[in-house]
Amino acid sequence: MEIKVIKTTVPAIKPVDESKLGFGSIFTDHMFVMDWDRTAGWHDARIVPFARLSIHPASTVLHYGAEIFEGLKAYRTVDGRICMFRPEENFKRMNNSALRMGLPTFDGDLALEALKRLVELDADWVPHGEGTSLYIRPFIIGTDEHLGVHAVEHAQFYIILSPSGSYYAGGLSPVKIMIESEDVRAVRGGTGEAKCGGNYAASVRAGERAEEKGFAQVLWLDGVERKFIEEVGAMNIMFKIAGKIVTPALTGSILPGITRKSILELLHHRGIEAEERRISVDELVAAMESGTLEEAWGCGTAAVVSPVGVLAYGDKEYVINNGRIGPTSQMLYDSLTAIQWGRESDEFGWVVPVK
Ligand SMILES: *Cc1c(COP(=O)(O)O)cnc(C)c1O
């Protein structure tokens, strides 16, 4: 499919002070759009000036949450190229999300081609500062113009770009996390595996309550027994218990993170054992009480690795590794970012240049 390009005639003024970029509030000059309907399939792939959307008030996305999204980054490597990290994995996952949410699947190669062209066109928007990046947000919405509940007949695929600041502007410091035992994020058979909007709307309440108590995020338990560890807000979770790295197995309610997958592959490649299995909250509490929980860290695109310094359960707070980043978390952060930013050679073929 041909991708049409209509360039803006009124380019926006780019932010000068990269330390004030923040996250997700500034957008570039262009966006990618593609339409779908059940008879014609995907068509009219185009890069157009960034603009507000005009959609029918009855659109499926507005009423029944027909929405899926992805999140990845483009960034400047040390040799001056603009690269992305495993973008084909994002489109693969997005297609799985589409299948779960009754939205149309798409050609991942075409999406990647469109993404590269969009980033190339807005390349001047990729910030230069250490740790800064161009955050990439692909999403699909259902756009049927009537109120019946059904698999959509019409949809649109978008990609928007947002120059964003370094996640660790204040240094790689451990966060306080609270195990959530009231709300649940997802259940097996539900939508936890899909990156879909509704999952996040439903998680906001617990997040707010945690924040009021001074925690950065919640750690979710499984939705059936509230007994097994699942993941954090937009990160998967890993632990080092008595010298062994463990992470919850993907049992259907956990988002299969690309950072999680990359860390497991990296560890495997280095001959470091890591286990994917169910981890009960009781096991974790016992490990914290006996002092065998050596490290805990979240992993996801935004932070890469986010060490956990305090984990709270009920009215108890446990300090992990004296509240400092542990050697494994540090090693994983250093290794992944070294590959991403081109400071170390990429033996895995994970880094994809934009051109
Ligand atoms: C996106 C996301 C992750 C992390 O996935 P990455 O591909 O590593 O960025 C983990 N959990 C949830 C709920 C997410 O939305």
Side-chain angles (χ1 to χ4, degrees), residues 93 185 195 200 231 233-236 255 257-259 299-301:
R93 182 170 67 192
R185 194 191 84 94
K195 223 169 165 79
Y200 303 83
E231 62 178 315
M235 281 191 278
N236 294 109
L255 203 284
I258 296 159
T259 318
C299 55
T301 294

Side-chain angles (χ1 to χ4, degrees), residues 21-292:
L21 286 175
F23 171 74
S25 50
I26 299 162
F27 295 91
T28 67
D29 283 325
H30 299 91
M31 62 184 184
F32 173 74
V33 193
M34 176 165 70
D35 300 320
W36 180 87
D37 65 63
R38 200 164 288 280
T39 30
W42 287 108
H43 57 275
D44 278 349
R46 58 206 187 267
I47 289 170
V48 294
F50 186 89
R52 285 173 191 276
L53 310 183
S54 170
I55 58 171
H56 194 281
S59 292
T60 331
V61 60
L62 300 178
H63 301 272
Y64 307 123
E67 194 266 359
I68 56 172
F69 68 94
E70 273 301 328
L72 66 158
K73 294 169 176 175
Y75 48 87
R76 295 182 191 273
T77 53
V78 291
D79 60 359
R81 292 179 306 162
I82 296 173
C83 291
M84 302 182 285
F85 187 68
R86 311 188 80 177
E88 65 291 346
E89 290 287 334
N90 291 90
F91 291 127
K92 203 161 99 189
R93 182 170 67 192
M94 198 175 182
N95 268 319
N96 289 332
S97 299
L99 288 172
R100 180 65 187 85
M101 300 306 291
L103 287 165
T105 57
F106 58 90
D107 176 356
D109 293 339
L110 171 73
L112 184 54
E113 175 62 28
L115 172 57
K116 285 179 176 175
R117 291 190 53 187
L118 178 64
V119 174
E120 203 184 327
L121 182 61
D122 281 343
D124 288 348
W125 286 89
V126 182
H128 296 76
E130 165 116 34
T132 62
S133 59
L134 186 68
Y135 183 77
I136 299 164
R137 170 54 58 89
F139 61 104
I140 296 177
I141 56 174
T143 52
D144 285 5
E145 299 180 353
H146 64 93
L147 295 174
V149 179
H150 50 79
V152 301
E153 300 288 327
H154 302 267
Q156 287 189 309
F157 184 125
Y158 290 91
I159 305 176
I160 55 175
L161 307 174
S162 174
S164 294
S166 170
Y167 191 91
Y168 289 116
L172 190 67
S173 55
V175 291
K176 285 178 73 174
I177 285 193
M178 188 192 109
I179 297 176
E180 169 66 32
S181 29
E182 218 170 295
D183 288 1
V184 297
R185 194 191 84 94
V187 292
R188 262 170 289 150
T191 58
E193 264 183 328
K195 223 169 165 79
C196 63
N199 286 345
Y200 303 83
S203 74
V204 166
R205 182 173 78 171
E208 294 233 295
R209 283 193 304 232
E211 227 168 272
E212 275 165 26
K213 293 183 198 156
F215 296 95
Q217 301 258 10
V218 300
L219 176 58
W220 299 104
L221 297 179
D222 78 279
V224 180
E225 297 171 79
R226 295 183 208 193
K227 189 175 162 192
F228 296 100
I229 303 294
E230 298 243 303
E231 62 178 315
V232 189
M235 281 191 278
N236 294 109
I237 188 90
M238 296 185 172
F239 305 100
K240 193 173 179 192
I241 302 176
K244 188 178 271 179
I245 296 166
V246 290
T247 191
L250 301 176
T251 48
S253 49
I254 296 173
L255 203 284
I258 296 159
T259 318
R260 173 189 183 280
K261 178 178 176 166
S262 304
I263 287 178
L264 291 174
E265 288 172 14
L266 190 83
L267 290 169
H268 181 76
H269 182 76
R270 297 199 176 162
I272 302 169
E273 206 187 330
E275 260 178 17
E276 293 174 79
R277 62 172 172 84
R278 303 202 83 182
I279 302 163
S280 72
V281 68
D282 293 343
E283 176 188 350
L284 202 61
V285 167
M288 292 192 288
E289 293 200 326
S290 68
T292 52

